Amino acid sequence: MADDVTTPDVAASPATSPAPDAAGRTPRVRPAASARGGRRGVSSQLRKRLEIFFFVAPACALFGLFVIVPIATAVQMSLYKWKGIGPLVDFVGLRNYVSVLTNEVFTDAVVHNLIIVGLSILIQLPLGLGIALLLNRKMWGQSALRTIIFVPYVLAEVVAGVIWVQLLQPQYGVIDALLGAVGLEGPEQGWLGDPDLALWTLMVVLTWKYLGLAVILFLAGLQSVPEELYEAAQLDGAGWWQVQRKITIPLLGPTLRTWGFLSMIGSLQLFDMVWILTRGGPANATTTMATFLVNEGTQRNNFGIAGAASVVLFVIALFMAVLYQQLILRRDTRPETGRK
């Protein structure tokens, strides 16, 4: 009979079967919005990627045009014997690199660059830091002194080089005239003409030219040191040297390391001041890697040798930059939790 027919009860999951409302009606189950949310998320991610591409693409294009393409061209040129005229047809492989690495002038140039790197840091770091600490104190004529120290850096290298060539002229230059006024004499061949003095004279000029950058960077770093730390140290009875050693120099560490990196790369690529003052002479006493490759390319028309020298210079600079990053700059990029 019909009354005896029983139907199995289907247990409804509370998560899928909504409860009836006050009128006894069961509301219609709407489809989940996860699909719409997923599409919206994908659209948002795509828009962000397009925005990143829009802003990064011009920089990448310029980087490729002015960095990647010249490097690739130099590598290609270094594999040929080429005088700068006609197509590249005389393939010599790695012989240009062998010629460069076995050339005594180039190896001396590498040594000169390394000496300039070391002396730049050893001289300009303490001198620039001392001047920055002095100029960071309130004193009369502070702004004028900062301007005077920074002016040599903003001078064009050509202008600065010509000025020093005139100052260092043997017998008739201002330097020799001042020495003569006090009963001293300059070197007979001139400060830039004596092979034993030329490199050291060049270092004096480079220090005068680029010290302003170190001072300005150090002054900018000193502005970020909180005054409360100095006041607390004075209340604790700390002396001036203790304050600098325990507070100023540690907090100035990132600025010092960044300047050291810039000084190192600039010293490895040094060309214009050397070329104007000595052209690498006398007797190759001041030759740098940059002056060597320019001389080989523009003066001797050995563009293959010049290309090989430029690639070697790039590899040396890249190696030292990566080494500096791993050994010194890495401490400024590590998270605080990873530091000891």
Side-chain angles (χ1 to χ4, degrees):
M1 297 191 335
D3 294 337
D4 296 334
V5 177
T6 60
T7 58
D9 295 333
V10 179
S13 173
T16 57
S17 300
D21 57 8
R25 297 188 297 254
T26 301
R28 184 188 305 175
V29 178
R30 295 184 178 181
S34 59
R36 293 195 301 272
R39 288 193 296 269
R40 188 179 299 112
V42 172
S43 177
S44 177
Q45 292 179 0
L46 180 60
R47 184 174 64 253
K48 290 181 179 179
R49 292 178 180 178
L50 290 176
E51 291 176 354
I52 293 174
F53 175 79
F54 177 78
F55 288 107
V56 173
C60 291
L62 292 175
F63 181 82
L65 180 62
F66 293 105
V67 177
I68 303 300
V69 172
I71 292 176
T73 303
V75 172
Q76 180 187 18
M77 187 189 306
S78 67
L79 301 177
Y80 290 84
K81 183 179 180 181
W82 188 50
K83 293 295 184 179
I85 301 176
L88 299 173
V89 293
D90 193 359
F91 182 80
V92 295
L94 300 179
R95 275 187 284 176
N96 286 333
Y97 291 95
V98 175
S99 299
V100 168
L101 296 176
T102 57
N103 191 317
E104 185 178 356
V105 176
F106 183 80
T107 55
D108 289 344
V110 175
V111 174
H112 295 158
N113 277 112
L114 296 179
I115 291 175
I116 293 172
V117 170
L119 291 179
S120 296
I121 295 177
L122 291 177
I123 295 175
Q124 296 181 33
L125 177 58
L127 189 59
L129 182 58
I131 295 175
L133 291 174
L134 178 64
L135 294 180
N136 195 46
R137 304 164 64 96
K138 293 182 179 180
M139 55 186 299
W140 182 83
Q142 184 182 56
S143 299
L145 289 175
R146 291 182 178 182
T147 303
I148 292 172
I149 292 174
F150 192 64
V151 161
Y153 178 73
V154 299
L155 278 178
E157 278 73 6
V158 174
V159 176
V162 171
I163 290 174
W164 276 98
V165 167
Q166 299 301 320
L167 292 176
L168 295 172
Q169 284 290 334
Q171 298 181 358
Y172 304 104
V174 176
I175 304 298
D176 281 4
L178 293 176
L179 290 176
V182 296
L184 301 176
E185 294 183 0
E188 295 182 1
Q189 298 176 343
W191 296 95
L192 297 174
D194 191 334
D196 296 328
L197 296 176
L199 185 61
W200 307 106
T201 305
L202 177 64
M203 280 306 309
V204 173
V205 178
L206 294 177
T207 301
W208 170 85
K209 180 69 173 67
Y210 298 108
L211 181 63
L213 175 63
V215 173
I216 291 299
L217 288 179
F218 297 163
L219 279 173
L222 288 172
Q223 304 305 313
S224 63
V225 179
E227 290 291 338
E228 295 80 3
L229 296 179
Y230 293 132
E231 296 174 359
Q234 292 176 356
L235 292 176
D236 291 339
W240 182 87
W241 173 244
Q242 290 178 320
V243 171
Q244 309 309 319
R245 187 166 60 91
K246 297 292 186 179
I247 297 177
T248 304
I249 295 179
L251 293 180
L252 201 61
T255 303
L256 297 176
R257 290 185 284 271
T258 301
W259 170 83
F261 180 81
L262 296 176
S263 178
M264 179 188 69
I265 297 301
S267 298
L268 290 175
Q269 299 175 348
L270 183 64
F271 166 72
D272 34 24
M273 290 296 294
V274 179
W275 191 258
I276 296 168
L277 291 173
T278 65
R279 289 185 176 267
N284 297 317
T286 58
T287 302
T288 63
M289 290 183 283
T291 60
F292 173 84
L293 68 91
V294 170
N295 184 63
E296 288 292 330
T298 61
Q299 305 297 320
R300 301 183 179 181
N301 294 327
N302 293 328
F303 288 94
I305 298 290
S310 66
V311 174
V312 173
L313 170 59
F314 172 76
V315 171
I316 293 176
L318 180 62
F319 172 77
M320 294 190 65
V322 172
L323 186 64
Y324 192 93
Q325 170 70 30
Q326 293 298 318
L327 296 181
I328 299 178
L329 289 181
R330 188 178 182 181
R331 61 185 302 174
D332 296 328
T333 58
R334 287 183 301 176
E336 292 293 335
T337 55
R339 297 183 181 180
K340 296 182 180 180

